[in-house]
Amino acid sequence: MNPPLAILSTGLVTSVGLSAPASCAAMRAKVTNPSQTRFMDSEGEWIMAHQVMLEQPWRGLEKLVRMATMAAEEALIGVPKDEWSGIPMLLCVAERERPGRMDGLDGRIFEDICQALGSTFAAESAIVPHGRVAVAMALSKARELVWQQGFAHVLVVAVDSLLNGPTLDRFERQDRLLTGVNSDGFMPGEGAGALLVGRPVKSSPCLTCIGIGLAMEEATQGSDKPLRADGLKQAIELALAEAGREMHQMDFRVTDLSGEQYGFKDATLALSRTLRQRKDEFDTWHPAECTGEVGAAVGVAALALADEGSRKGYAQGATILAHMADDFGSRAALVLHFGAS
């Protein structure tokens, strides 16, 4: 069994809130805030999206940097600034295969975030370009940095936006956007989040990651292979095995599901193949219903919501399963537990 990794603090910037408490309160209340973009679909209708409204009309890479900086500052608020340079930052961004992927995500954005924060970070910092599963991959690396390399803290930052012309055009041509003529789709969004992680603090209740599972799915969306959810099933089973738990011991789930039937089918099949005992209730939280599809940022949104719900007492239990999937076959699952170490 691998050692636990504690989520010590969070930061979140979404279309429904510019901080973790604000965003989580909105998600708890099922608040949404879609607005009209400057992009049109093929029917000549304005595309609706979940846009983050900031004090200035930043766009592109500049807006990603600003959102990431806000989230990172929130997560680091309890750490003296002169200690930031000794913390590795794992920056989660869109996968390289993403249609219309923004230039600068593999190098420049990291430097720009450091400049905006006014600090460097440890040499072990890295970019994690794996979209919706990036946060799970970053936590796996963070666990190694904390428990094997001796870092007191690791900062996981995730930032993404689907609000650019080439990306929206490709998704619309694939019938994946929610529009007036397509109900089987998602509403695009943007956002950023940050997690400060480290070793659990004794006698201080916190949300800890006690199991991580990563796997691959061959029957990706749009392929001609029958979907059996082999990849997500394997990821869940690996996470449960690491945590020493069974599926029926999970109290609820928090996921990256954003409205497409494929994702719900994948999750349902994986559940049917891993749950061995009947549960009367097994609720699913999906932040994307409030924030839109936010790509790499959804992992932090899911964990921040689980953390806030646990601390505020509205979570449906102490043991949580989180799972995510990207468009290219990667699957990830996390087993989380809230309590004192």
Side-chain angles (χ1 to χ4, degrees):
M1 185 179 296
N2 284 300
L5 186 68
I7 297 173
L8 303 174
S9 60
T10 64
L12 203 53
V13 175
T14 70
S15 62
V16 292
L18 300 183
S19 68
S23 293
C24 291
M27 288 186 276
R28 182 187 183 189
K30 309 296 184 185
V31 172
T32 63
N33 186 30
S35 58
Q36 183 176 287
T37 70
R38 58 193 177 94
F39 302 103
M40 279 188 173
D41 63 23
S42 58
E43 299 293 320
E45 299 293 331
W46 295 108
I47 293 175
M48 300 294 289
H50 292 265
Q51 303 177 81
V52 175
M53 300 300 178
L54 300 176
E55 64 270 21
Q56 295 185 36
W58 288 294
R59 290 180 181 172
L61 196 67
E62 190 175 12
K63 187 170 186 180
L64 294 186
V65 170
R66 181 57 185 162
M67 292 190 297
T69 300
M70 291 170 64
E73 287 176 333
E74 184 181 3
L76 287 166
I77 195 167
V79 181
K81 192 166 185 177
D82 59 5
E83 297 179 12
W84 292 6
S85 61
I87 298 174
M89 178 167 67
L90 304 178
L91 179 60
C92 303
V93 297
E95 53 272 76
R96 294 191 175 99
E97 303 90 341
R98 168 86 62 80
R101 187 177 191 260
M102 201 176 299
D103 292 335
L105 292 183
D106 293 321
R108 179 185 158 192
I109 188 172
F110 187 92
E111 297 172 0
D112 288 355
I113 291 171
C114 290
Q115 184 176 359
L117 288 170
S119 176
T120 59
F121 288 85
E124 289 77 5
S125 299
I127 293 174
V128 188
H130 294 287
R132 291 195 299 270
V133 301
V135 167
M137 292 182 173
L139 289 177
S140 180
K141 177 63 176 177
R143 185 169 61 184
E144 174 188 325
L145 290 169
V146 169
W147 288 101
Q148 295 181 25
Q149 299 191 39
F151 285 95
H153 300 112
V154 175
L155 180 67
V156 176
V157 178
V159 63
D160 208 345
S161 174
L162 276 67
L163 305 185
N164 68 74
T167 298
L168 294 174
D169 180 65
R170 178 70 68 86
F171 282 134
E172 198 213 350
R173 284 191 282 112
Q174 294 173 340
D175 291 325
R176 296 191 58 194
L177 289 187
L178 182 65
T179 66
V181 296
N182 181 39
S183 60
D184 181 14
F186 60 79
M187 190 172 289
E190 59 187 355
L195 305 171
L196 185 68
V197 300
R199 299 188 182 199
V201 179
K202 289 187 178 181
S203 73
S204 178
C206 65
L207 187 69
T208 56
C209 178
I210 59 175
I212 303 174
L214 302 170
M216 291 297 297
E217 173 61 59
E218 294 185 1
T220 55
Q221 191 165 6
S223 76
D224 57 1
K225 296 182 179 180
L227 177 62
R228 300 178 64 249
D230 290 332
L232 188 54
K233 171 182 177 289
Q234 183 182 2
I236 291 172
E237 288 176 339
L238 288 171
L240 290 171
E242 270 202 0
R245 302 289 204 281
E246 298 291 337
M247 189 64 153
H248 67 271
Q249 295 175 305
M250 302 296 102
D251 293 306
F252 66 98
R253 294 161 288 165
V254 56
T255 77
D256 65 342
L257 298 175
S258 59
E260 294 182 282
Q261 291 183 21
Y262 174 89
F264 283 95
K265 182 178 180 181
D266 192 29
T268 301
L269 287 171
L271 175 64
S272 70
R273 298 181 64 194
T274 53
L275 184 61
R276 302 301 181 211
Q277 292 187 25
R278 174 182 167 80
K279 290 179 68 70
D280 292 331
E281 294 184 8
F282 202 6
D283 198 12
T284 303
W285 294 2
H286 29 88
E289 68 178 330
C290 300
T291 66
E293 171 57 78
V294 292
V298 72
V300 175
L303 269 62
L305 182 58
D307 179 69
E308 187 80 359
S310 298
R311 294 182 185 278
K312 295 290 180 64
Y314 60 86
Q316 294 150 315
T319 309
I320 307 156
L321 176 71
H323 60 76
M324 305 94 183
D326 75 6
D327 293 339
F328 307 99
S330 295
R331 300 291 185 266
L334 305 170
V335 176
L336 310 167
H337 182 77
F338 183 79
S341 59

